[in-house]
mmCIF file of all heavy atoms in Angstrom:
data_model
loop_
_atom_site.group_PDB
_atom_site.id
_atom_site.type_symbol
_atom_site.label_atom_id
_atom_site.label_comp_id
_atom_site.label_asym_id
_atom_site.label_seq_id
_atom_site.Cartn_x
_atom_site.Cartn_y
_atom_site.Cartn_z
ATOM 1 N N SER A 8 -98.253 208.365 59.081
ATOM 2 C CA SER A 8 -98.898 209.681 59.188
ATOM 3 C C SER A 8 -98.203 210.496 60.273
ATOM 4 O O SER A 8 -97.484 209.937 61.110
ATOM 5 C CB SER A 8 -100.375 209.502 59.558
ATOM 6 O OG SER A 8 -100.983 210.758 59.742
ATOM 7 N N ASP A 9 -98.480 211.792 60.277
ATOM 8 C CA ASP A 9 -97.959 212.633 61.370
ATOM 9 C C ASP A 9 -98.913 212.608 62.567
ATOM 10 O O ASP A 9 -98.753 213.366 63.519
ATOM 11 C CB ASP A 9 -97.715 214.073 60.893
ATOM 12 C CG ASP A 9 -98.870 214.650 60.119
ATOM 13 O OD1 ASP A 9 -99.936 213.991 60.052
ATOM 14 O OD2 ASP A 9 -98.736 215.742 59.551
ATOM 15 N N THR A 10 -99.898 211.708 62.513
ATOM 16 C CA THR A 10 -100.825 211.567 63.647
ATOM 17 C C THR A 10 -100.373 210.470 64.608
ATOM 18 O O THR A 10 -101.068 210.201 65.587
ATOM 19 C CB THR A 10 -102.233 211.193 63.141
ATOM 20 O OG1 THR A 10 -102.106 210.019 62.323
ATOM 21 C CG2 THR A 10 -102.840 212.305 62.319
ATOM 22 N N PRO A 58 -113.079 217.865 69.146
ATOM 23 C CA PRO A 58 -112.310 216.619 69.313
ATOM 24 C C PRO A 58 -111.575 216.194 68.061
ATOM 25 O O PRO A 58 -110.587 215.449 68.149
ATOM 26 C CB PRO A 58 -113.366 215.582 69.702
ATOM 27 C CG PRO A 58 -114.687 216.168 69.413
ATOM 28 C CD PRO A 58 -114.531 217.654 69.317
ATOM 29 N N SER A 59 -112.020 216.596 66.876
ATOM 30 C CA SER A 59 -111.334 216.154 65.647
ATOM 31 C C SER A 59 -111.464 217.188 64.541
ATOM 32 O O SER A 59 -112.375 218.026 64.554
ATOM 33 C CB SER A 59 -111.932 214.830 65.152
ATOM 34 O OG SER A 59 -113.227 215.061 64.642
ATOM 35 N N GLY A 60 -110.560 217.067 63.573
ATOM 36 C CA GLY A 60 -110.603 217.940 62.403
ATOM 37 C C GLY A 60 -111.833 217.649 61.571
ATOM 38 O O GLY A 60 -112.444 218.556 60.989
ATOM 39 N N THR A 61 -112.206 216.384 61.515
ATOM 40 C CA THR A 61 -113.395 216.005 60.747
ATOM 41 C C THR A 61 -114.622 216.722 61.308
ATOM 42 O O THR A 61 -115.405 217.312 60.557
ATOM 43 C CB THR A 61 -113.596 214.467 60.814
ATOM 44 O OG1 THR A 61 -112.455 213.842 60.234
ATOM 45 C CG2 THR A 61 -114.843 214.034 60.082
ATOM 46 N N MET A 62 -114.772 216.703 62.623
ATOM 47 C CA MET A 62 -115.954 217.350 63.199
ATOM 48 C C MET A 62 -115.923 218.866 62.980
ATOM 49 O O MET A 62 -116.957 219.497 62.727
ATOM 50 C CB MET A 62 -116.102 217.024 64.689
ATOM 51 C CG MET A 62 -117.513 217.292 65.187
ATOM 52 S SD MET A 62 -117.701 217.153 66.973
ATOM 53 C CE MET A 62 -117.819 215.397 67.179
ATOM 54 N N ASN A 64 -114.495 220.458 60.405
ATOM 55 C CA ASN A 64 -114.841 220.698 58.993
ATOM 56 C C ASN A 64 -116.326 220.497 58.740
ATOM 57 O O ASN A 64 -116.982 221.306 58.079
ATOM 58 C CB ASN A 64 -114.078 219.713 58.084
ATOM 59 C CG ASN A 64 -112.646 220.144 57.834
ATOM 60 O OD1 ASN A 64 -112.314 221.327 57.918
ATOM 61 N ND2 ASN A 64 -111.785 219.188 57.521
ATOM 62 N N HIS A 85 -109.927 216.338 51.524
ATOM 63 C CA HIS A 85 -110.236 215.491 52.684
ATOM 64 C C HIS A 85 -111.730 215.504 52.965
ATOM 65 O O HIS A 85 -112.330 214.463 53.234
ATOM 66 C CB HIS A 85 -109.454 215.981 53.908
ATOM 67 C CG HIS A 85 -109.402 214.984 55.011
ATOM 68 N ND1 HIS A 85 -110.423 214.830 55.916
ATOM 69 C CD2 HIS A 85 -108.465 214.064 55.352
ATOM 70 C CE1 HIS A 85 -110.117 213.871 56.776
ATOM 71 N NE2 HIS A 85 -108.937 213.384 56.458
ATOM 72 N N VAL A 86 -112.360 216.678 52.882
ATOM 73 C CA VAL A 86 -113.797 216.763 53.206
ATOM 74 C C VAL A 86 -114.628 215.866 52.288
ATOM 75 O O VAL A 86 -115.675 215.355 52.676
ATOM 76 C CB VAL A 86 -114.354 218.221 53.143
ATOM 77 C CG1 VAL A 86 -113.740 219.081 54.232
ATOM 78 C CG2 VAL A 86 -114.161 218.846 51.774
ATOM 79 N N TYR A 89 -112.400 211.647 52.736
ATOM 80 C CA TYR A 89 -112.027 210.942 53.965
ATOM 81 C C TYR A 89 -112.852 211.327 55.182
ATOM 82 O O TYR A 89 -112.381 211.183 56.304
ATOM 83 C CB TYR A 89 -110.532 211.183 54.254
ATOM 84 C CG TYR A 89 -109.608 210.711 53.155
ATOM 85 C CD1 TYR A 89 -108.739 211.595 52.515
ATOM 86 C CD2 TYR A 89 -109.602 209.374 52.760
ATOM 87 C CE1 TYR A 89 -107.884 211.157 51.506
ATOM 88 C CE2 TYR A 89 -108.751 208.934 51.754
ATOM 89 C CZ TYR A 89 -107.899 209.825 51.131
ATOM 90 O OH TYR A 89 -107.073 209.386 50.142
ATOM 91 N N GLU A 90 -114.030 211.882 54.967
ATOM 92 C CA GLU A 90 -114.842 212.224 56.131
ATOM 93 C C GLU A 90 -116.150 211.438 56.115
ATOM 94 O O GLU A 90 -117.199 211.911 56.568
ATOM 95 C CB GLU A 90 -115.004 213.756 56.242
ATOM 96 C CG GLU A 90 -113.628 214.382 56.405
ATOM 97 C CD GLU A 90 -113.551 215.842 56.778
ATOM 98 O OE1 GLU A 90 -114.586 216.496 56.967
ATOM 99 O OE2 GLU A 90 -112.406 216.340 56.883
ATOM 100 N N GLU A 138 -107.918 223.383 51.012
ATOM 101 C CA GLU A 138 -107.135 222.597 51.981
ATOM 102 C C GLU A 138 -105.695 223.104 51.915
ATOM 103 O O GLU A 138 -105.124 223.191 50.831
ATOM 104 C CB GLU A 138 -107.212 221.130 51.549
ATOM 105 C CG GLU A 138 -106.808 220.125 52.588
ATOM 106 C CD GLU A 138 -107.114 218.704 52.093
ATOM 107 O OE1 GLU A 138 -108.284 218.384 51.798
ATOM 108 O OE2 GLU A 138 -106.164 217.912 51.989
ATOM 109 N N ASN A 139 -105.134 223.442 53.059
ATOM 110 C CA ASN A 139 -103.772 223.992 53.080
ATOM 111 C C ASN A 139 -103.089 223.600 54.390
ATOM 112 O O ASN A 139 -103.556 224.017 55.443
ATOM 113 C CB ASN A 139 -103.836 225.530 52.994
ATOM 114 C CG ASN A 139 -102.523 226.142 52.544
ATOM 115 O OD1 ASN A 139 -101.844 225.577 51.716
ATOM 116 N ND2 ASN A 139 -102.171 227.290 53.092
ATOM 117 N N THR A 140 -102.053 222.757 54.346
ATOM 118 C CA THR A 140 -101.511 222.111 53.174
ATOM 119 C C THR A 140 -102.438 220.995 52.702
ATOM 120 O O THR A 140 -103.292 220.544 53.456
ATOM 121 C CB THR A 140 -100.122 221.515 53.498
ATOM 122 O OG1 THR A 140 -100.289 220.368 54.359
ATOM 123 C CG2 THR A 140 -99.229 222.492 54.207
ATOM 124 N N THR A 141 -102.215 220.558 51.471
ATOM 125 C CA THR A 141 -103.049 219.483 50.953
ATOM 126 C C THR A 141 -102.501 218.151 51.444
ATOM 127 O O THR A 141 -101.287 217.967 51.509
ATOM 128 C CB THR A 141 -103.036 219.493 49.423
ATOM 129 O OG1 THR A 141 -101.697 219.247 48.964
ATOM 130 C CG2 THR A 141 -103.523 220.815 48.868
ATOM 131 N N ASN A 142 -103.400 217.239 51.777
ATOM 132 C CA ASN A 142 -102.974 215.930 52.269
ATOM 133 C C ASN A 142 -102.701 215.003 51.082
ATOM 134 O O ASN A 142 -101.544 214.702 50.762
ATOM 135 C CB ASN A 142 -104.056 215.382 53.215
ATOM 136 C CG ASN A 142 -103.750 213.979 53.700
ATOM 137 O OD1 ASN A 142 -102.871 213.300 53.182
ATOM 138 N ND2 ASN A 142 -104.475 213.533 54.694
ATOM 139 N N LYS A 143 -103.774 214.593 50.403
ATOM 140 C CA LYS A 143 -103.609 213.678 49.262
ATOM 141 C C LYS A 143 -102.816 214.343 48.130
ATOM 142 O O LYS A 143 -102.240 213.676 47.277
ATOM 143 C CB LYS A 143 -105.003 213.245 48.770
ATOM 144 C CG LYS A 143 -104.996 211.929 48.044
ATOM 145 C CD LYS A 143 -106.392 211.469 47.675
ATOM 146 C CE LYS A 143 -106.274 210.145 46.918
ATOM 147 N NZ LYS A 143 -107.539 209.681 46.394
ATOM 148 N N ASP A 171 -109.806 224.108 55.223
ATOM 149 C CA ASP A 171 -109.420 222.921 55.993
ATOM 150 C C ASP A 171 -107.921 223.080 56.240
ATOM 151 O O ASP A 171 -107.090 222.739 55.410
ATOM 152 C CB ASP A 171 -109.734 221.652 55.194
ATOM 153 C CG ASP A 171 -109.239 220.393 55.907
ATOM 154 O OD1 ASP A 171 -108.558 220.514 56.946
ATOM 155 O OD2 ASP A 171 -109.538 219.296 55.408
ATOM 156 N N GLY A 172 -107.624 223.638 57.404
ATOM 157 C CA GLY A 172 -106.225 223.926 57.742
ATOM 158 C C GLY A 172 -105.674 222.914 58.727
ATOM 159 O O GLY A 172 -104.949 223.298 59.652
ATOM 160 N N ALA A 173 -106.012 221.638 58.503
ATOM 161 C CA ALA A 173 -105.502 220.595 59.403
ATOM 162 C C ALA A 173 -103.986 220.744 59.572
ATOM 163 O O ALA A 173 -103.457 220.572 60.665
ATOM 164 C CB ALA A 173 -105.841 219.217 58.845
ATOM 165 N N ARG A 174 -103.315 221.078 58.467
ATOM 166 C CA ARG A 174 -101.846 221.264 58.521
ATOM 167 C C ARG A 174 -101.455 222.699 58.150
ATOM 168 O O ARG A 174 -100.412 222.937 57.552
ATOM 169 C CB ARG A 174 -101.141 220.261 57.602
ATOM 170 C CG ARG A 174 -101.323 218.838 58.052
ATOM 171 C CD ARG A 174 -100.523 217.820 57.254
ATOM 172 N NE ARG A 174 -100.753 216.482 57.773
ATOM 173 C CZ ARG A 174 -101.851 215.742 57.539
ATOM 174 N NH1 ARG A 174 -102.805 216.215 56.753
ATOM 175 N NH2 ARG A 174 -101.984 214.550 58.072
ATOM 176 N N SER A 197 -110.547 225.582 59.958
ATOM 177 C CA SER A 197 -110.355 224.497 60.926
ATOM 178 C C SER A 197 -108.861 224.225 60.998
ATOM 179 O O SER A 197 -108.160 224.290 59.981
ATOM 180 C CB SER A 197 -111.112 223.233 60.503
ATOM 181 O OG SER A 197 -110.549 222.684 59.338
ATOM 182 N N CYS A 199 -105.771 221.707 63.143
ATOM 183 C CA CYS A 199 -105.594 220.517 63.979
ATOM 184 C C CYS A 199 -104.332 220.632 64.825
ATOM 185 O O CYS A 199 -103.312 221.133 64.368
ATOM 186 C CB CYS A 199 -105.477 219.269 63.115
ATOM 187 S SG CYS A 199 -107.019 218.799 62.338
ATOM 188 N N SER A 201 -103.465 217.671 66.455
ATOM 189 C CA SER A 201 -103.100 216.259 66.617
ATOM 190 C C SER A 201 -102.299 215.720 65.438
ATOM 191 O O SER A 201 -102.133 214.524 65.306
ATOM 192 C CB SER A 201 -104.379 215.443 66.778
ATOM 193 O OG SER A 201 -105.215 215.685 65.660
ATOM 194 N N LYS A 202 -101.824 216.615 64.557
ATOM 195 C CA LYS A 202 -100.989 216.161 63.437
ATOM 196 C C LYS A 202 -99.553 216.596 63.742
ATOM 197 O O LYS A 202 -99.010 216.193 64.757
ATOM 198 C CB LYS A 202 -101.562 216.678 62.128
ATOM 199 C CG LYS A 202 -103.039 216.330 62.081
ATOM 200 C CD LYS A 202 -103.692 216.181 60.805
ATOM 201 C CE LYS A 202 -104.956 215.355 60.944
ATOM 202 N NZ LYS A 202 -105.995 215.908 61.829
ATOM 203 N N GLY A 209 -107.373 216.878 69.306
ATOM 204 C CA GLY A 209 -107.797 218.276 69.327
ATOM 205 C C GLY A 209 -107.671 219.036 68.026
ATOM 206 O O GLY A 209 -106.677 218.946 67.315
ATOM 207 N N SER A 210 -108.733 219.768 67.738
ATOM 208 C CA SER A 210 -108.796 220.665 66.581
ATOM 209 C C SER A 210 -109.568 221.893 67.019
ATOM 210 O O SER A 210 -110.077 221.931 68.138
ATOM 211 C CB SER A 210 -109.536 219.982 65.426
ATOM 212 O OG SER A 210 -108.772 218.912 64.931
ATOM 213 N N ARG A 318 -97.493 206.895 50.221
ATOM 214 C CA ARG A 318 -97.248 208.125 50.991
ATOM 215 C C ARG A 318 -96.375 207.843 52.208
ATOM 216 O O ARG A 318 -96.556 206.838 52.896
ATOM 217 C CB ARG A 318 -98.589 208.694 51.452
ATOM 218 C CG ARG A 318 -98.477 210.065 52.127
ATOM 219 C CD ARG A 318 -99.797 210.516 52.695
ATOM 220 N NE ARG A 318 -100.036 209.883 53.989
ATOM 221 C CZ ARG A 318 -101.011 210.229 54.837
ATOM 222 N NH1 ARG A 318 -101.868 211.186 54.504
ATOM 223 N NH2 ARG A 318 -101.161 209.609 55.987
HETATM 224 C C1 PLP B 401 -106.408 217.674 55.398
HETATM 225 C C2 PLP B 401 -107.116 217.018 56.536
HETATM 226 N N1 PLP B 401 -108.254 217.543 56.984
HETATM 227 C C3 PLP B 401 -108.927 217.013 58.017
HETATM 228 C C4 PLP B 401 -108.457 215.893 58.656
HETATM 229 C C5 PLP B 401 -109.288 215.297 59.754
HETATM 230 O O1 PLP B 401 -108.692 215.280 60.979
HETATM 231 P P1 PLP B 401 -109.136 214.221 62.109
HETATM 232 O O2 PLP B 401 -108.414 212.962 61.806
HETATM 233 O O3 PLP B 401 -108.718 214.886 63.378
HETATM 234 O O4 PLP B 401 -110.614 214.057 62.034
HETATM 235 C C6 PLP B 401 -107.272 215.302 58.231
HETATM 236 C C7 PLP B 401 -106.750 214.091 58.899
HETATM 237 O O5 PLP B 401 -105.762 213.531 58.521
HETATM 238 C C8 PLP B 401 -106.572 215.883 57.135
HETATM 239 O O6 PLP B 401 -105.442 215.360 56.667
#
Side-chain angles (χ1 to χ4, degrees):
S8 177
D9 48 7
T10 54
S59 71
T61 299
M62 198 188 280
N64 280 335
H85 196 278
V86 294
Y89 300 121
E90 299 191 1
E138 196 172 301
N139 199 37
T140 71
T141 63
N142 176 347
K143 204 175 179 186
D171 175 354
R174 295 186 179 77
S197 67
C199 289
S201 56
K202 309 206 159 61
S210 292
R318 187 186 81 169

